[in-house]
Amino acid sequence: MLLPNILLTGQLYDGYDEEYDCPILDEDRVVDELENQMSEGGVIVDYHGCDFFPERWFHIVFVLKTDNTVLYKRLETRGYNEKKLKDNIQCEIFQVLYEEALTSYKEEIVHQLPSDKPEDMEDNINQILKWIEQWVKDHGS
């Protein structure tokens, strides 16, 4: 499940942030909207933050880590304004999302994966698939 798609199609935002040039997420509405799907299990959530998602939803959390130079070029190519670009780089330098994940969930379920080059995506998918296969074996589902 790609959360940005749900946000835009479900109108789960509460205004627009002109400074960052993006919609403002209504976190309570997002959680309400996803609750039934998440309770059924078998769902992957792709989003850039996690502190508002209930811990009970996840068996594992993957945080992608990117070299700052690579990230800068990606965001610049996307046309991010200067403030948004600098803030995103700063978040990566200080590992804000990784720290957020560690404080929001049990440390043993939080893992960092590299995301610098195209090959990393394939490696990450394979790593996640291995984890899913093992989880299914261990839990008989």
Side-chain angles (χ1 to χ4, degrees):
M1 167 186 319
L2 297 177
L3 194 51
N5 293 339
I6 290 173
L7 299 179
L8 296 176
T9 59
Q11 303 292 311
L12 300 177
Y13 49 90
D14 187 26
Y16 195 82
D17 186 323
E18 298 294 334
E19 186 175 30
Y20 287 102
D21 192 27
C22 65
I24 299 168
L25 182 64
D26 184 330
E27 296 173 353
D28 291 334
R29 284 173 48 194
V30 169
V31 170
D32 290 346
E33 179 74 18
L34 296 177
E35 186 66 52
N36 287 338
Q37 288 175 288
M38 295 304 292
S39 65
E40 293 171 12
V43 177
I44 295 173
V45 176
D46 175 16
Y47 194 62
H48 66 268
C50 64
D51 63 337
F52 66 94
F53 293 123
E55 185 177 358
R56 70 182 180 281
W57 282 6
F58 302 106
H59 298 287
I60 196 161
V61 174
F62 296 103
V63 179
L64 300 179
K65 181 174 177 51
T66 306
D67 177 86
N68 297 326
T69 306
V70 173
L71 182 60
Y72 187 94
K73 289 176 185 173
R74 280 184 195 165
L75 301 180
E76 189 176 48
T77 301
R78 292 180 190 169
Y80 278 30
N81 67 44
E82 193 64 26
K83 176 162 180 50
K84 189 172 181 177
L85 198 145
K86 284 182 179 179
D87 287 354
N88 273 272
I89 296 297
Q90 207 170 41
C91 281
E92 189 66 21
I93 289 169
F94 293 110
Q95 299 190 47
V96 171
L97 296 179
Y98 181 62
E99 291 298 322
E100 178 182 291
L102 288 172
T103 60
S104 298
Y105 307 104
K106 295 175 185 165
E107 187 173 340
E108 62 267 15
I109 74 164
V110 178
H111 305 274
Q112 277 192 314
L113 299 174
S115 181
D116 295 325
K117 52 193 184 296
E119 301 83 45
D120 290 338
M121 185 168 31
E122 186 174 335
D123 292 343
N124 292 341
I125 289 168
N126 289 332
Q127 177 76 20
I128 292 167
L129 288 174
K130 285 179 188 175
W131 181 87
I132 290 170
E133 289 171 10
Q134 188 61 50
W135 190 91
V136 169
K137 285 179 186 175
D138 293 347
H139 294 86
S141 299

